Amino acid sequence: MQRAEEYFGFLERLVRVPSVAGEERAAQELLASRLETLGFASRWIPLTADLAELPGAGRPCSSLHGRSSLVCERSGESAASVLINGHIDVVPAGDPSLWTGAPFAQFRRDGWMVGRGAGDMKGGLVMALLALHALHDHNALGGRISFVVVPEEESSGNGTLATLRAGVTADAAILPEPTDLNIDVSGIGVLWCEIEVTGSGAHAGGRRSANPLDQLTAVARTIADLTAETAAGDVEARARHVYYNANLGQAEAGDWPSSVPTRARGVMRIGFPAPLSAAAMEERIRDAVARLEHDAACAGCTTRLAFPGLRAEPHALPVDHPLVTAVAEAHSAAHATTSRVLHTSSTSDARFYVNQAKVPAVCYGPVVSAIHGVDEAVDLSSIVAGAKTYARLIPALLAGLRPRPRSSA
Ligand SMILES: [Zn+2]
C-alpha cells in the first residue's frame, strides 16, 4: 500500500508523545493537522466535571483542565454517515528499566514497532488514517465522516461521552482498537475500586496490632472471590473466551520496616458480567467488605471504599448485526480470509455508542502484543492489512448498512 512507510513514520512521531492522562493534547494536534490535509474540519470539545453525572460516565482521577476531545468532520453527500473513534491516552509505562528501549522512544524490531501506546491504540489510529489517505489519493474520499480522537478512555470514557453530549454521532461507528484484525462486538462491565485502610501505627515489636496492609490484602482477596462468584453467573463466558478478572493494580503502604503502617491503599479493576450494572456491582462489593469488617482481626483498622475512574457498563452488539457483516465482508474482500467475531474481557468506548447513543459500533484494529505491559508493540504489516479493510469498509458504510436478511425458516 502506498504511503505505508510515511504513516509508520507518523506513528513514530505519535508514540514519541507520551500522551498519558492529562498530556494528550500534543498528540491530538498531530492527528488534527493530518486530518485537515484530507479535508476534515477540526473542533475541540472540552471535558467538564459535570460529564461524570451522565449515565455510563466514569469519575475522572486526574485534572480536566485544558483537556478536550478532538472532532474532525468531513461533509459531503452520502446515504449514511460513519464515525471513527480512537483514544489517544495511553497507560503509564511502568518501570522503564524493564523495557528494551525507553518506552516512549519507540523502535522497530522484526516488523513490529515497540513503544507505550503503539498497540493501544496509536497503531489503530494510524491504520484508519492510512485508509482515509488511500481513499483520498484515489479521489474516493467523500461523504459524511467523523474522526473522533478522545482522551480519558483508559480511566473514565468521559472523552467520548463529551462528544455524544455535543451531538457527534453517525449511523455506524468503528473503533480501530487492537483486535488482531478480528471483529470485537462486546465488552464486559469494568469497575475500579479504591481501598484505603488506616490504623494507628505501632512499633513492630509491640503486642500485635492490626496492620492496614494485612487488612488491604484481605479486602482485595474478598473482592477477588466475589468477582469469581459473580462471573460464575455468566455460564457462556468460557465458550466466548471471556474472563472477569479482579486485579489489584496499585498498592502502597508503610514507610519503615520496624513500624506497623498507619495506612495502606490499593486500587482494583474488577470485571463483571451483564446484566449487572456498575452500581449493582458496587453495592455487592460494599456488602462483602462490610461483612469482612465484622471480623475480629480487623479491629483497630478503618476501611474506606471509593469508586473513582472506570464505571463501564457491559455492552454487546448482536453478532448478526449488519455492521458486523459489513466489517466481515470488507475484511474478506481485502484479504481472502475470514475475520473472527470476538468478545473481549475488557471494555472500550464502543459501549457509549451501543448503550447510550443506540449507534451500532464494533472494534476492528491491528495485531499487537503486550498492551499495557513491557515492550508493548504493534505489527506494522497488520496496520497496512487493517487499512485495506477500512478502505473497503468506509465506502460501504457510507452507502448505508443493508438490513439483516430475513431468515427463510
Ligand atoms: Zn484501547
Side-chain angles (χ1 to χ4, degrees):
M1 200 173 200
Q2 277 184 341
R3 296 190 185 274
E5 194 53 47
E6 173 190 338
Y7 273 89
F8 297 160
F10 183 66
L11 177 58
E12 287 175 356
R13 289 175 64 199
L14 269 187
V15 173
R16 266 188 249 126
V17 181
S19 52
V20 293
E23 307 292 331
E24 302 97 341
R25 182 82 177 205
Q28 284 173 306
E29 280 171 357
L30 283 176
L31 287 157
S33 54
R34 212 16 99 130
L35 283 157
E36 281 160 16
T37 64
L38 300 179
F40 285 77
S42 51
R43 59 192 170 107
W44 298 85
I45 298 172
L47 267 60
T48 51
D50 60 340
L51 287 163
E53 310 299 323
L54 296 177
R59 296 173 185 160
C61 310
S62 40
S63 165
L64 300 177
H65 181 74
R67 298 169 75 196
S68 299
S69 292
L70 168 67
V71 176
C72 299
E73 288 158 315
R74 211 174 185 287
S75 54
E77 290 294 308
S78 54
S81 54
V82 62
L83 185 150
I84 299 161
N85 173 303
H87 66 87
I88 195 65
D89 55 320
V90 302
V91 298
D95 181 351
S97 73
L98 298 174
W99 287 66
T100 303
F104 292 103
Q106 62 66 35
F107 66 95
R108 296 194 201 182
R109 179 169 64 193
D110 303 329
W112 292 69
M113 189 179 295
V114 182
R116 171 58 82 235
D120 188 10
M121 57 169 290
K122 290 173 176 174
L125 285 162
V126 165
M127 188 193 92
L129 268 179
L130 176 58
L132 291 172
H133 211 144
L135 290 170
H136 187 262
D137 285 341
H138 290 89
N139 291 321
L141 185 61
R144 291 173 287 146
I145 308 172
S146 302
F147 200 121
V148 176
V149 185
V150 298
E152 274 282 308
E153 189 270 351
E154 297 284 4
S155 48
S156 72
N158 293 6
T160 290
L161 263 184
T163 66
L164 284 176
R165 186 171 67 174
V168 180
T169 180
D171 295 312
I174 43 177
L175 292 81
E177 287 271 13
T179 62
D180 295 350
L181 302 178
N182 295 307
I183 308 162
D184 170 12
V185 295
S186 69
I188 65 168
V190 176
L191 182 63
W192 284 6
C193 173
E194 180 184 62
I195 307 150
E196 191 174 52
V197 187
T198 46
S200 46
H203 190 289
R207 206 163 157 262
R208 177 140 182 84
S209 55
N211 184 321
L213 185 52
D214 291 344
Q215 172 68 355
L216 172 65
T217 311
V219 170
R221 174 46 50 202
T222 297
I223 292 175
D225 290 347
L226 172 69
T227 304
E229 202 180 289
T230 306
D234 182 356
V235 292
E236 291 169 9
R238 189 168 299 200
R240 288 183 285 123
H241 304 284
V242 167
Y243 307 96
Y244 300 97
N245 294 338
N247 178 62
L248 181 59
Q250 277 177 283
E252 59 207 337
D255 53 11
W256 196 251
S258 292
S259 301
V260 174
T262 51
R263 190 184 299 273
R265 177 184 169 273
V267 190
M268 297 184 78
R269 172 272 197 201
I270 298 141
F272 64 90
L276 270 185
S277 65
M281 191 63 193
E282 174 180 336
E283 198 179 315
R284 286 187 184 202
I285 292 167
R286 288 192 184 280
D287 288 349
V289 174
R291 282 197 297 277
L292 181 72
E293 277 197 303
H294 292 132
D295 198 316
C298 310
C301 285
T302 307
T303 304
R304 187 188 63 83
L305 296 183
F307 294 82
L310 274 177
R311 299 177 68 80
E313 307 290 0
H315 82 274
L317 193 71
V319 296
D320 60 350
H321 191 280
L323 175 58
V324 181
T325 309
V327 180
E329 286 177 356
H331 177 97
S332 296
H335 306 293
T337 58
T338 309
S339 188
R340 279 192 310 126
V341 172
L342 283 189
H343 303 269
T344 88
S345 302
S346 60
T347 185
S348 75
D349 278 359
R351 69 182 178 275
F352 296 113
Y353 295 102
V354 173
N355 290 347
Q356 267 75 39
K358 308 300 173 201
V359 169
V362 294
C363 297
Y364 175 95
V367 176
V368 297
S369 74
I371 60 168
H372 292 220
V374 168
D375 282 0
E376 169 179 347
V378 62
D379 176 351
L380 293 171
S381 69
S382 76
I383 290 178
V384 177
K388 288 178 179 170
T389 302
Y390 270 46
R392 284 167 173 77
L393 176 63
I394 291 166
L397 295 179
L398 289 169
L401 287 172
R402 290 195 301 279
R404 233 181 272 187
R406 287 230 178 125
S407 161
S408 54

